[in-house]
Amino acid sequence: MQSPITLEALHILDAIDRRGSFASAAHELDRAPSSLSYQIQKLEQDLDMTIFDRSGHKATFTAAGRLILEQGRSILAATDKLVNDASVLANGWELDITLAFDGIIPVSNFFAMIEALSMVSSTRVRLQEEILAGCWESLASGRSDLLVCPKIESLPIDVKYETIGSLEMVWVAAASHYVHKRAGAFDESAREKYRIIAIADTAREQPAMSINVLHKQPRLTVSNFSAKVDALRAGLGIGTLPYSVANPLIEQGELVQIAGSQTQSIDIIMAWKRSQIGEAKSWCIQFLKKHWQMK
């Protein structure tokens, strides 16, 4: 008997869990929300079980639904590996490659690589935004093949990396924010009085990381980098931004660098697993080593 749990259904469940709602998952998958709802309801009927608890304001996974999701992700990872391994064996170039990047790095930094790769290979590329520990989890779990992100203190032993650039981070707040009325050093005791705007870590299993967030500090957590910029512009708190992003907003008078704050320089690295290398990944590594330039 053929199982009603298809790869398409597993992709839908994965997207709903990652995106937090049927509507957001439908947007990612380029489907109508009603289409996703129908497919999930049909799957529940075929399995004679409830995958989502719809009794509350928001549909949540039941215990059975969570089991299907978690084990289904292992199946999705295995099928992706199978397709790519077969493609590499057949012609040396991966069918698909996923490049994960930390959300503080503008996605436009990878457009030149995508264009150049298309001249030599038909490999399909996925650019996947991750945040903090989610970057490293994506590489460890196989959700990504190549990673570009800020360097961390302790790197996994099975990972090789190259430093390809640096990023200047500046403390800013809206021009109208009351942090600009303060006097004295902008140290931790001063910072913890102001709400910080943070981006949610995308790690699913690993412990979340936090940067520049103090234990007792008020916090507003948003889902992506664009939302952080919008929250800062709206005067909802303080935070750090790459100088390349902050400077135009400073020149326009929307943001102001916080007096007494220090600019932070962070190394940007490219990382990949030593044991997994194909033609497309190797090509991308060499391209980024030679041509990387932060925009």
Side-chain angles (χ1 to χ4, degrees):
M1 178 179 176
Q2 185 175 0
S3 171
I5 303 178
T6 63
L7 292 178
E8 182 183 16
L10 294 178
H11 278 296
I12 291 173
L13 294 177
D14 173 65
I16 293 171
D17 182 59
R18 286 187 293 101
R19 295 300 182 182
S21 70
F22 277 72
S24 296
H27 179 73
E28 176 183 309
L29 298 172
D30 196 23
R31 298 268 298 275
S34 58
S35 171
L36 263 62
S37 296
Y38 171 78
Q39 190 152 350
I40 294 302
Q41 289 172 3
K42 185 176 186 307
L43 179 61
E44 289 178 322
Q45 292 173 0
D46 292 342
L47 293 173
D48 193 23
M49 69 174 66
T50 303
I51 295 176
F52 285 97
D53 180 355
R54 300 172 177 83
S55 61
H57 175 70
K58 177 181 176 182
T60 57
F61 281 93
T62 62
R66 180 64 59 179
L67 177 67
I68 294 172
L69 170 71
E70 292 175 354
Q71 296 198 13
R73 280 177 169 156
S74 298
I75 294 171
L76 290 176
T79 55
D80 286 345
K81 185 176 185 303
L82 171 62
V83 171
N84 274 301
D85 286 352
S87 176
V88 171
L89 183 63
N91 55 34
W93 289 84
E94 299 93 322
L95 184 63
D96 296 275
I97 186 171
T98 298
L99 187 152
F101 62 98
D102 192 282
I104 65 171
I105 300 170
V107 68
S108 58
N109 283 281
F110 304 102
F111 291 168
M113 183 199 77
I114 301 300
E115 181 64 23
L117 178 60
S118 70
M119 302 297 181
V120 297
S121 169
S122 59
T123 297
R124 299 183 299 236
V125 182
R126 178 184 178 89
L127 296 176
Q128 181 169 294
E129 181 178 324
E130 299 282 357
I131 304 295
L132 297 171
C135 293
W136 295 99
E137 184 184 90
S138 74
L139 193 62
S141 66
R143 294 203 311 269
S144 66
D145 304 290
L146 189 58
L147 172 65
V148 177
C149 69
K151 185 180 179 182
I152 57 175
E153 289 186 9
S154 180
L155 292 163
I157 59 174
D158 63 338
V159 165
K160 189 172 182 179
Y161 79 95
E162 293 271 357
T163 300
I164 57 175
S166 63
L167 199 58
E168 298 297 317
M169 304 293 292
V170 294
W171 282 97
V172 294
S176 60
H177 196 279
Y178 64 99
V179 70
H180 301 304
K181 299 178 180 179
R182 50 165 290 282
F186 188 65
D187 53 17
E188 289 191 357
S189 61
R191 277 169 42 203
E192 70 179 6
K193 300 174 184 176
Y194 306 98
R195 180 194 292 122
I196 192 165
I197 311 299
I199 309 176
D201 197 312
T202 53
R204 301 169 182 172
E205 305 293 339
Q206 293 185 9
M209 295 169 58
S210 62
I211 303 294
N212 294 324
V213 179
L214 304 174
H215 179 62
K216 297 181 179 180
Q217 188 173 22
R219 181 187 317 183
L220 169 62
T221 302
V222 295
S223 60
N224 55 57
F225 182 77
S226 177
K228 177 178 180 176
V229 175
D230 288 344
L232 287 168
R233 292 168 61 198
L236 297 180
I238 66 173
T240 58
L241 290 179
Y243 179 78
S244 60
V245 175
N247 190 52
L249 297 172
I250 292 173
E251 290 182 344
Q252 294 165 20
E254 292 193 60
L255 297 180
V256 174
Q257 185 169 352
I258 298 173
S261 64
Q262 299 295 317
T263 300
Q264 302 167 294
S265 180
I266 57 176
D267 287 333
I268 299 298
I269 66 172
M270 170 176 55
W272 63 95
K273 282 192 173 183
R274 298 173 183 271
S275 59
Q276 298 173 1
I277 195 79
E279 291 289 343
K281 185 195 295 188
S282 178
W283 187 96
C284 291
I285 289 169
Q286 295 306 315
F287 183 92
L288 292 176
K289 284 169 63 174
K290 184 176 181 180
H291 299 288
W292 179 261
Q293 186 176 1
M294 283 292 296
K295 298 178 181 179

